[in-house]
Structure formats: structure tokens, C-alpha cells
Amino acid sequence: MTSPKSETLNAPRAVVVGAGPVGCLAAQVLARHGYAVEVYEKRPHYVEHGLRHDGRTINLSLSPRGVAALAGAGTATSTAGGVRDFAELARLAVPMRRRVRHEPYGRTGVVPYGSDDRQNLSVDRNDLNLHLMKGAEAAPAVRFVFDAECGEVDFTARRVTFTGPAGRTFEVGYDLLVGADGAHSAVRGRLAAQGLTRVEQRAAGAEYREITLVPAKAPGGQEHFDPGAIHVWPRDGFFMVGLPNLDGSLRCTLVLPGDDGTGAADRDTAATAATTFADLAAEDALGDFLRRHFPDAAAHHRPARTGAARSPVSSISLVTCDPVVHGDSVLLMGDAAHTLAPFLGQGVNLGLEDCAALDRLLFAHRGERAAVLARFQQERVPEHEAAAALSLANYRELNGTGPAPRSAGAASLPTLVNFLSSSYREALDAYAGARHAVAADPLPHPIGR
């Protein structure tokens, strides 16, 4: 824990709830604009205790959108923290310049992103989180408080209650409260409970579990799995996606229909895939399933041990809310404002774009926080909703329940979103326009609209 320098004591006070990548980047942005920033995180200190990989943290796909957002938020060339230089970012990430589709029965197809300079970066969420947190800690105006869980918020008095170690509670005041506390945001929950925002949640009807494929060499010394690509195993009603790690392994996400509680798969999500994770509780059952449906991957699956070492099963839902601001004193960012289906790799990129937008608006409306938040609401909510619709559309393409056909010459959805569109709204319009003549199943509308 560090203390702000004396010159920040009379500065406006920003309280950031959540020390994930978005919270850490938002802290840097606010500090650069003269705020004394306190970041409260319910987990233990990342540096002192490390970030535990618990099997729920799939790799992040940092797209040119996310890289540009880091630069736009002032960290890419900063000497005080953040990304600092892209050489350092490159040491954390694996470039992905193409997609490899693994079809049934061992067939594969390579789909380049196009020009040689198009790439996404596969990065471990914990690596990026720790890197951005260290950058934020280096800013004199930023202070971190760990083991502090957000409780009640008095939005009128501008005070928030936290619970620390041993159940001790304490209050802090704020001029600006930033909820960057993820998909289960406490700040968003307090706003909704008091009727200050409207939250829309939609179950994707799917669950996921992490599957690790170990590095291995094919005959002749070649890599079994292209280390410079994102790997996709689309199937009828389910699929698997794998992103490369620095050690040559693939961190995969196996996605199956959700169990409705009776042992039956969600038939609206997958008409032909009856298997759920409840059927794969034993590791040998999972191995059999992989050998049957993903034979090229099964040979390189690292079986999990039992108990705590076993990767858990997590459900998938989409959340948006409107408004994402309250007056001139509360702002929701990242997954607290928009939780996407993780099938297009845009969650972190959208959250980092939130930070870049905040930075730009703070420059444009110096000292006018009400104007900053009003413009943030106006600009970002349509982007959140479009990104949610696109993520769900890509999920439906991957599991075969949505419109994959497109007009001649039209780009694939990942290429369109990552490389060809300046905004998610623009990408959504282009995607719909390229498919309106061939898609029998309508494109999902943004949540709540």
C-alpha cells in the first residue's frame, strides 16, 4: 500500500472498486488528470501473494482495438507505468496472425487475417493484470487497498463502505466512484437496488471449462498446433477455442450447452449436442468426449487432477446496463458495465476502450466532470450493446446455430470486428448488411433494445 504525495491531498478523490486490468488502467487515467486515486480490491495483494490461476481465467485476446486503447489512455509511451513500451508487452504475449479451423475427422483450414501487420495478442489475464497494476502503483497519486470488499454505497452522501480483514468495516468518501469490479459488480448492484440503473441479463445457455493442451512436436520437429494462431474447433451445437501460451501450450475453452437443472441440455442453444458438463464429471468421461469429437486435441490433453486442481465449470451470460453513470459522481466501466459472451475475445478490449474514452473526455472537458460522464454515457452505451450482440452472433456461428453464410467478398466476423471497423456499432451494421439476404435466423438485437 502506498500513500499519495502531499500535493494530491486537496485533489478531487476518485475511488476505484476493482483492481483488474480495467480498474488499474482507469486509475492511471484519473491520476494523470489530477485525481487522488484509491483502488479497493477484495482479493489479497497481487505482488505480495501472486495471482492464482484457478481455471476460470481463460487467455485474453488483445486486439488492435485493445492495443490502441492502451495507447489512447496514455500508457503506451508513458515512463511512469502502464504498458510503457510495446517491447515489454510483447514479452507477455503471443502474436496470433491467423485462425486455424479444426474440422471433424482431423481436417484443418488456415484462415489468415489478411495483411501481414494484422494480429491479435494472446496474453494471460493475470500477466496483463499484474503488469497494469504495477504501472498504476508507480503513479504517486494512486493508492491500492487490498482485502477490501465493497459493501453499501450512499450515493447522496458520496460514501462507500468496505469490509476488510477480520470483518472490520470502514467508510471512505469520494468525488468520483468508479465501478470496475467485474461481471458481478457490487457498485452496479447498489445502483440497481436503488433504481439508479436498469440491468439486463441474458443467459447464453452455455457453460465452459478450461482444457489445456500440452506443447508437443509432430514428426519432423514441427509444432502440432500452430503457435501463431487462434485455434477453433466448431461442432454442431458446441465448440472449443484455444489461445497459445508462451510455453507452447494451448489454453482452450470447451463450450457445451448449459444444463437446465434436470440433466438436459438447453435445446434452444444446441439442437444436436445432448452432452453437458454434468455428463463429463469424471476425467475419463472428458477424455472419451475429446477423443470422439476433437481427436487431434485429445492426444495432447493434460488430464486434470481431482479436487482443487480441477478446472471448474462456469456458466456464461451477457449483462448490459443503462445508464452506466449517475450524476457527476459514479461511473461503471469494463465488465461492471457490459459483460459479453467470451466467444469474440472483445471483453477486455471493450473495457480498455472505456478507459481510453474516459481519458479523451477528461481532456476535452477539463474540470467539468458532469459533462465528461454525460458524454461517456452517450458514446459508450451504444458500443456496449453492439459488442454484446456481436459476441452472441459469433457464439451462434461457432456452434452452428447462427448465420455463417455471408455475401461474396464479405469479411468474417472476427476480421470485421478486429481489423476493419472503427466502432462496434459500425461492425454490427456491416455484419448485418452482409448477411441479411442469407440469414434465416435474425441477428440478435442488443440487450434491452
Side-chain angles (χ1 to χ4, degrees):
M1 183 184 301
T2 57
S3 297
K5 287 186 175 180
S6 58
E7 58 263 29
T8 67
L9 295 180
N10 295 321
R13 186 179 191 182
V15 170
V16 178
V17 180
V22 172
C24 290
L25 185 56
Q28 294 182 64
V29 167
L30 291 166
R32 293 198 313 117
H33 288 275
Y35 282 83
V37 184
E38 297 174 358
V39 184
Y40 291 85
E41 169 59 47
K42 65 181 180 181
R43 292 174 289 180
H45 196 292
Y46 297 168
V47 175
E48 295 174 1
H49 298 276
L51 275 169
R52 183 171 61 89
H53 177 68
D54 63 1
R56 296 180 188 273
T57 302
I58 57 181
N59 278 25
L60 301 176
S61 178
L62 192 62
S63 75
R65 288 181 178 278
V67 173
L70 288 169
T75 65
T77 58
S78 170
T79 59
V83 173
R84 290 195 288 269
D85 60 71
F86 287 106
E88 187 166 354
L89 177 61
R91 287 193 291 272
L92 299 174
V94 180
M96 301 181 295
R97 295 184 173 88
R98 52 200 164 270
R99 299 171 76 226
V100 176
R101 287 178 59 94
H102 298 255
E103 305 293 350
Y105 310 111
R107 298 190 304 272
T108 60
V110 179
V111 183
Y113 285 132
S115 59
D116 292 339
D117 60 343
R118 289 182 183 172
Q119 66 175 23
N120 291 331
L121 300 176
S122 173
V123 60
D124 185 289
R125 177 188 172 88
N126 288 346
D127 287 345
L128 181 62
N129 194 167
L130 188 61
H131 186 64
L132 289 173
M133 192 214 71
K134 288 179 177 178
E137 277 199 321
V142 176
R143 181 170 75 101
F144 279 79
V145 181
F146 292 88
D147 288 307
E149 186 168 2
C150 179
E152 295 303 316
V153 182
D154 187 331
F155 296 107
T156 301
R158 300 190 181 187
R159 299 192 67 80
V160 56
T161 301
F162 292 95
T163 301
R168 182 181 64 89
T169 62
F170 58 97
E171 284 188 353
V172 296
Y174 62 84
D175 295 296
L176 176 63
L177 176 64
V178 177
D181 48 339
H184 304 288
S185 169
V187 178
R188 183 186 68 218
R190 304 302 177 266
L191 285 168
Q194 298 183 38
L196 301 177
T197 190
R198 180 173 60 91
V199 179
E200 297 283 347
Q201 183 168 358
R202 178 176 181 177
E207 297 176 325
Y208 73 90
R209 181 187 162 186
E210 178 187 298
I211 302 292
T212 299
L213 304 184
V214 299
K217 297 288 185 180
Q222 298 298 314
E223 298 284 351
H224 258 293
F225 299 108
D226 184 345
I230 183 172
H231 293 260
V232 182
W233 287 262
R235 296 296 183 264
D236 186 8
F238 60 101
F239 61 92
M240 187 165 69
V241 178
L243 275 69
N245 290 313
L246 289 171
D247 65 1
S249 64
L250 284 182
R251 185 167 296 158
C252 300
T253 307
L254 174 61
V255 181
L256 297 178
D259 193 319
D260 64 5
T262 65
D266 182 343
R267 300 296 176 168
D268 291 335
T269 301
T272 60
T275 302
T276 71
F277 282 109
D279 303 314
L280 305 179
E283 282 299 312
D284 56 354
L286 175 63
D288 289 343
F289 180 83
L290 293 177
R291 284 188 289 272
R292 187 164 63 253
H293 297 288
F294 310 101
D296 58 341
H300 306 284
H301 170 229
R302 178 188 295 142
R305 298 184 298 275
T306 59
R310 180 182 172 89
S311 297
V313 175
S314 301
S315 60
I316 299 170
S317 63
L318 292 81
V319 177
T320 60
C321 64
D322 188 9
V324 297
V325 303
H326 173 59
D328 67 347
S329 61
V330 183
L331 171 63
L332 298 176
M333 304 179 73
D335 282 352
H338 46 75
T339 303
L340 310 183
F343 311 120
L344 195 53
Q346 294 304 305
V348 68
N349 298 294
L350 185 61
L352 296 177
E353 279 193 348
D354 283 349
C355 295
L358 177 62
D359 184 64
R360 172 173 49 80
L361 293 170
L362 285 167
F363 271 119
H365 304 280
R366 295 178 185 271
E368 302 177 20
R369 192 164 56 244
V372 170
L373 268 61
R375 287 293 300 173
F376 188 95
Q377 163 72 20
Q378 184 179 27
E379 293 183 11
R380 298 306 297 167
V381 168
E383 286 294 281
H384 300 167
E385 294 175 340
L390 287 164
S391 72
L392 189 56
N394 199 53
Y395 165 58
R396 290 165 56 178
E397 286 202 2
L398 286 171
N399 73 6
T401 64
R406 55 186 183 269
S407 57
S412 68
L413 180 52
T415 299
L416 177 65
V417 170
N418 288 315
F419 307 110
L420 300 180
S421 302
S422 61
S423 69
Y424 290 102
R425 177 58 61 179
E426 180 182 270
L428 182 62
D429 290 343
Y431 177 76
R435 289 154 179 79
H436 74 278
V438 294
D441 198 15
L443 184 71
H445 293 290
I447 296 175
R449 291 290 179 268

